[in-house]
Amino acid sequence: MPDYDFPAEQRKQAEERERYVSETMERLEPDQRNRLQGVIEAAVDVASILEDHNYYIDQRVAVLPRRLVLAAGRRLASEGSLSEATDVFYLRRDELQRALLGSSEGLAALAEERGKDMARWAQIRPPQTAGAPPVDTATQDEDPDRFWGTHKLRPDRPRELRGNGASAGVGRGPAVLVTRTTMPPWTPLFAVASAVVTETGGILSHAAVTAREYGLPAVLCVENATHLIRDGQPVEVDGSKGTVRILS
């Protein structure tokens, strides 16, 4: 979003937060105000940790053992025990240990077979539910479509995908972020995107909350979005209606 003013939006969000807090405090008893204030302060303190934990904990903790395993893979590949160094990730720990101790017969074929299995399973789309499907919405007061999505294509609109509107507004263009899901490290992409489309996530997911903070239209739970929308393909995202229209 070339015209997006992040400092102005940040000030707007802060003012809105303070207004809501003030209005809520006025309706509470003194002891309730103190408890709420403590919760708010704690939330502010941990907010940065929540946003950065994927990098500082998940990724940085995982990178060292990954480098170690890759080094073992390069060694086995140089010895001819593996076809590629990265094939080492198809091995179990005990198999890798035995290979490093010299027992690597049949290792390349085993890794190749597992690689083919992974490629095959990667092409399979899992069902929306495990076990019994959700109860018929007609008999419920709630609206499960808010969480499950309305994925069926309409015969009269074959180029319109449907999902859950998670952030209101309409966004167009090829600069639409289309992905299975998002995480905190993806947040900078929201600053340059015109809209967001994901295959998973509810109205309180990272994609939904961040899209609303950036004022971006967002539609979530769009089944097979990453397969149906090509890279750079112009689309129109209507976060109010929960639709994604393929324009070409």
Side-chain angles (χ1 to χ4, degrees), residues 34-69:
N34 293 334
R35 290 169 56 191
L36 177 59
Q37 186 61 40
V39 171
I40 293 174
E41 291 174 358
V44 171
D45 288 340
V46 303
S48 59
I49 300 175
L50 291 174
E51 285 294 306
D52 295 339
H53 89 277
N54 182 268
Y55 173 74
Y56 286 107
I57 298 177
D58 298 344
Q59 295 184 21
R60 294 192 67 179
V61 168
V63 71
L64 294 179
R66 177 179 174 83
R67 288 177 177 174
L68 180 62
V69 173

Side-chain angles (χ1 to χ4, degrees), residues 19-30 32-33:
R19 184 175 71 255
Y20 286 141
V21 169
S22 177
E23 292 174 355
T24 303
M25 289 292 189
E26 291 177 357
R27 297 196 296 268
L28 300 178
E29 298 295 330
Q32 294 175 319
R33 293 175 190 169

